Amino acid sequence: MTKLGTHLIVDAWQAPSDLLNDPERIRHALLEGITAGEATLIDLCVHHFSPHGVTATATLAESHIAIHTWPEYGYFAADLFFCGQGDPEQALAILKIALQAQQVQVKIIERGFPNLLDHDPSLTTTICQSVA
């Protein structure tokens, strides 16, 4: 596989509801995470829902970070995709600390495309046909 990036899909539970409902806390955590992950911020959007919940997206030169909170359940979902330089795991470490999640599940997906020459020729044909 020719790796183009790393994508972390995160579910986190048992986080304090006041932290999950604080848009400024989440903004600050994202900015710190971006710095720790050595990424480059292009744009940051944070929205606070009524009566509770926050959605935030950071557009990065390396791709993006998105987080969605459900304070009433002590839960947040996040997605960190970094291609090229940067370390999404370092960015996630900051989010986990800032939002004090007690339980976290992370799925790591290596993003990219197969090296066609490394595969069975019949698979290569199938891949080429599905792309065309």
Side-chain angles (χ1 to χ4, degrees):
M1 175 199 254
T2 299
K3 180 181 170 184
L4 296 179
T6 302
H7 200 158
L8 307 182
I9 307 298
V10 181
D11 290 290
W13 303 271
Q14 299 173 337
S17 62
D18 59 323
L19 300 181
L20 296 179
N21 204 38
D22 184 343
E24 287 309 310
R25 172 83 169 211
I26 291 170
R27 177 188 307 275
H28 184 71
L30 281 172
L31 291 171
E32 283 188 6
I34 291 164
T35 299
E38 299 181 2
T40 307
L41 180 65
I42 294 173
D43 192 26
L44 179 60
C45 179
V46 180
H47 178 78
H48 188 216
F49 292 96
S50 178
H52 43 96
V54 176
T55 289
T57 57
T59 304
L60 308 174
E62 295 77 14
S63 196
H64 70 271
I65 299 175
I67 184 168
H68 312 282
T69 74
W70 286 262
E72 68 273 31
Y73 300 118
Y75 170 79
F76 72 86
D79 137 39
L80 301 87
F81 180 31
F82 284 37
C83 56
Q85 299 300 311
D87 185 345
E89 292 174 358
Q90 287 291 81
L92 176 58
I94 298 297
L95 289 178
K96 289 192 303 190
I97 291 167
L99 299 177
Q100 299 177 17
Q102 299 302 304
Q103 185 178 4
V104 178
Q105 179 181 42
V106 180
K107 295 174 189 150
I108 301 173
I109 303 167
E110 299 299 330
R111 305 301 295 263
F113 57 92
N115 294 325
L116 298 179
L117 298 178
D118 293 342
H119 295 283
D120 180 300
S122 64
L123 179 59
T124 302
T125 303
T126 303
I127 290 172
C128 291
Q129 288 173 349
S130 66
V131 172

